Amino acid sequence: MTDKEKTGELLSLIDALCDVNFAKEQNNIDGWVSKLNKVYSNEYRHTYSDIFFKIQQIMSDTLSNNDASDTEVLEVLGENLNVLGNRIDELAAQNSDDANYKNTVSGYKKFSDHIRLEIGRYNFIKSRFTGTAADGNSGKATDKHSAIDTERILKLERAVDATRPIVAQAQKQLDSLDEKLESNKISSITTLTIFSAVILAFSGGITFESGIFQGMVASTSYRLVFTIALSGFILFNTIFALLYLVGKMAGKRISTKCKYMVNADDNYNQCQSCGDGYCTKECAEVSIACRIFHKYSYVLAIDAILLYVLYTDFFLWYSKGVLLSPAFYLPQIFLILIIIASYCVHRVRKNRRLKRIKMHYKVAILTDILEPKAPMASALIRLGEIISKSFYGSPSRSAKDSFLDTVEARQLNKDDALNYLDEFIDEYLIADCRTSISVSKREHRINCKKWKELSGKFTVPSQK
């Protein structure tokens, strides 16, 4: 969810809080609490200016519609703020270990405080204007006094206008200070926890190794290297697991940012979801292995080195240190063959995914040509919505029109046109992350049947 979408959710919440029936449905309240958990995730902070303009819009609509008085609307808004706040505090107490509720409690306090500040400011200005109007209607004021009252009103308006940027600036500074305090608190807790975890793991590892090494005074160097590598492997992964748990508790990440992941929704919603973003890797297959390789590559590299040391040291010991012994070099060749085989399997799987993606686009184009109004499979609906923009960046010229124009210009027959469709797909497949979509084997089987049916119905424009 982007910041713009989160701001829209908060503005919709203000509209909902002005409804007198808001507090009557418990499911409605819990639903908004769930939405607020998503809104205030990833350290999102709303702005006071958005709330200010939203309250002004509500008051303006209320005064123009005459359905209810502005006082009633503000009272309902204040009461519903308290109801929703109490429910958030109740759920936060029940889920004290959930970092999302902690962020929601902090964010909602600022949100409700900003609304109450705007309500108070509105009532203050209204009371001043009401008092001025009452003085003007008493019948005791002279023309001179009326002129003075008008001048007072103008001065008050100028004073309010001059105060607004000061209040906005002060609010920004207050929000910044709150963010710094919250960040310092989390950083302090995280630092102390990490320090305690690392010290505990390190001291336990030292004690474990010292107990082992006491009985290895007369052992061979192979056994010593094997023991050190095994201890390092266990100690490193234990510390990493502790740091990972601490990061989860503090709402922080210890992984690196994948270079293929993007957070923007535009032009990427056809890609596969990976964590909090979208994977733009060509023919990607989002899996646990992929996430480990791209997000925890440092852990993978260190573990691979330690495991290779263990593997090599064992066969050195078995071959009694003779490098040319078959007992040593045959396992090394076997390891190399496994790596080569894994790479070949990866390439074959990638080519198959590419083949499924190409068939997917070919069926989408032919479906658009032959059945423009016919209902398509759910996956094709997604492609139909983006195919024009993804191919040419303009909704006015679709891939279907470009393909048909080229076929007509070259005067291709049916078979040549279908063969050219492969070339057409290859030419434009690399743009706008079109190769990052996911097509399952079941969808591919359906597309293959659809292709046979559509290719038999297809006719070039000159033959229509």
Side-chain angles (χ1 to χ4, degrees):
M1 184 180 291
T2 62
D3 289 348
K4 184 177 180 180
E5 293 173 341
K6 293 179 179 179
T7 302
E9 287 287 349
L10 290 181
L11 298 182
S12 299
L13 174 59
I14 296 177
D15 288 329
L17 291 172
C18 295
D19 187 0
V20 294
N21 298 319
F22 177 84
K24 295 181 179 180
E25 295 289 340
Q26 188 65 31
N27 294 334
N28 184 34
I29 299 175
D30 293 341
W32 277 109
V33 174
S34 178
K35 291 180 180 179
L36 288 174
N37 285 338
K38 298 178 181 179
V39 168
Y40 285 108
S41 61
N42 299 327
E43 301 181 355
Y44 167 76
R45 293 291 182 269
H46 62 265
T47 59
Y48 175 73
S49 59
D50 292 327
I51 296 177
F52 166 75
F53 288 116
K54 184 62 179 179
I55 298 296
Q56 294 300 318
Q57 178 186 355
I58 293 174
M59 292 298 98
S60 177
D61 294 341
T62 302
L63 294 175
S64 61
N65 294 333
N66 294 324
D67 294 336
S69 66
D70 53 350
T71 303
E72 293 176 354
V73 173
L74 293 179
E75 288 179 354
V76 171
L77 177 59
E79 292 176 359
N80 289 335
L81 277 174
N82 294 332
V83 172
L84 183 58
N86 293 335
R87 183 56 178 169
I88 292 175
D89 293 337
E90 180 182 348
L91 293 177
Q94 296 175 2
N95 302 273
S96 58
D97 296 334
D98 194 342
N100 290 331
Y101 277 100
K102 295 180 182 179
N103 296 332
T104 302
V105 170
S106 176
Y108 184 77
K109 285 183 179 179
K110 297 177 184 177
F111 174 73
S112 60
D113 183 59
H114 290 167
I115 293 180
R116 291 190 176 92
L117 178 63
E118 185 58 29
I119 292 174
R121 191 186 69 83
Y122 178 84
N123 290 331
F124 171 75
I125 296 177
K126 179 182 176 182
S127 64
R128 295 297 297 269
F129 276 99
T130 302
T132 302
D135 293 340
N137 294 330
S138 62
K140 299 180 180 180
T142 62
D143 294 340
K144 181 178 180 181
H145 291 158
S146 299
I148 293 175
D149 291 339
T150 303
E151 184 178 354
R152 287 176 59 192
I153 293 174
L154 294 176
K155 287 182 179 179
L156 180 60
E157 290 179 349
R158 287 194 292 267
V160 171
D161 292 337
T163 306
R164 285 177 181 172
I166 299 176
V167 173
Q169 183 66 24
Q171 187 63 44
K172 290 182 180 179
Q173 294 178 356
L174 180 61
D175 291 341
S176 177
L177 181 60
D178 290 341
E179 291 176 3
K180 290 181 180 179
L181 291 176
E182 186 70 19
S183 177
N184 290 336
K185 182 177 70 174
I186 294 176
S187 299
S188 299
I189 296 174
T190 304
T191 302
L192 291 174
T193 308
I194 291 174
F195 181 77
S196 301
V198 171
I199 291 298
L200 179 62
F202 187 76
S203 59
I206 293 298
T207 304
F208 172 74
E209 291 183 357
S210 62
I212 292 177
F213 292 153
Q214 285 179 357
M216 297 181 59
V217 178
S219 62
T220 62
S221 58
Y222 305 114
R223 183 180 178 185
L224 182 63
V225 171
F226 188 89
T227 304
I228 293 175
L230 181 60
S231 301
F233 180 81
I234 297 174
L235 183 61
F236 173 78
N237 286 280
T238 302
I239 293 177
F240 170 76
L242 291 173
L243 295 180
Y244 182 82
L245 293 176
V246 170
K248 283 291 185 181
M249 294 170 57
K252 302 292 183 180
R253 296 180 179 177
I254 62 174
S255 62
T256 58
K257 180 175 175 59
C258 178
K259 64 179 180 179
Y260 297 107
M261 190 180 75
V262 294
N263 296 321
D265 290 340
D266 297 337
N267 298 330
Y268 295 107
N269 52 10
Q270 77 274 17
C271 302
Q272 300 180 75
S273 177
C274 180
D276 295 331
Y278 298 96
C279 181
T280 60
K281 186 179 179 182
E282 181 179 347
C283 302
E285 184 180 19
V286 177
S287 60
I288 296 178
C290 179
R291 289 178 177 142
I292 292 176
F293 186 81
H294 290 103
K295 293 184 177 181
Y296 299 97
S297 55
Y298 59 96
V299 178
L300 180 62
I302 295 176
D303 283 346
I305 293 174
L306 291 175
L307 289 175
Y308 179 74
V309 170
L310 291 172
Y311 181 83
T312 304
D313 183 73
F314 173 78
F315 286 104
L316 272 177
W317 166 80
Y318 186 74
S319 62
K320 298 180 180 180
V322 180
L323 298 179
L324 298 179
S325 172
F328 175 75
Y329 67 76
L330 287 180
Q332 302 298 318
I333 295 175
F334 177 73
L335 181 61
I336 295 174
L337 291 177
I338 289 179
I339 296 175
I340 295 175
S342 301
Y343 177 76
C344 293
V345 170
H346 168 73
R347 294 299 303 179
V348 170
R349 290 171 59 87
K350 183 175 181 180
N351 290 334
R352 288 183 176 178
R353 291 194 295 270
L354 180 60
K355 181 180 178 181
R356 294 199 295 263
I357 292 172
K358 291 174 64 176
M359 177 60 70
H360 209 83
Y361 279 103
K362 288 165 62 178
V363 171
I365 293 176
L366 285 188
T367 302
D368 193 20
I369 294 173
L370 300 175
E371 304 173 3
K373 296 182 180 180
M376 296 181 291
S378 60
L380 294 179
I381 292 176
R382 175 161 53 95
L383 285 174
E385 294 175 348
I386 66 166
I387 196 167
S388 175
K389 185 176 180 180
S390 63
F391 277 175
Y392 294 101
S394 173
S396 61
R397 182 172 177 81
S398 65
K400 174 193 73 174
D401 296 333
S402 176
F403 171 70
L404 292 178
D405 291 345
T406 305
V407 170
E408 186 175 2
R410 297 185 181 182
Q411 297 182 353
L412 302 176
N413 56 34
K414 177 181 177 179
D415 294 335
D416 292 337
L418 293 177
N419 291 331
Y420 169 70
L421 184 56
D422 291 330
E423 179 183 346
F424 180 82
I425 292 296
D426 289 334
E427 184 177 356
Y428 294 100
L429 199 60
I430 60 174
D432 294 333
C433 302
R434 288 192 302 274
T435 56
S436 300
I437 66 172
S438 175
V439 181
S440 65
K441 294 180 179 179
R442 179 176 177 273
E443 289 177 322
H444 181 64
R445 289 194 297 267
I446 296 175
N447 288 335
C448 290
K449 295 179 181 179
K450 192 76 171 178
W451 169 257
K452 293 180 180 179
E453 178 184 350
L454 295 175
S455 60
K457 296 180 181 180
F458 175 73
T459 57
V460 297
S462 60
Q463 297 176 351
K464 288 184 178 180

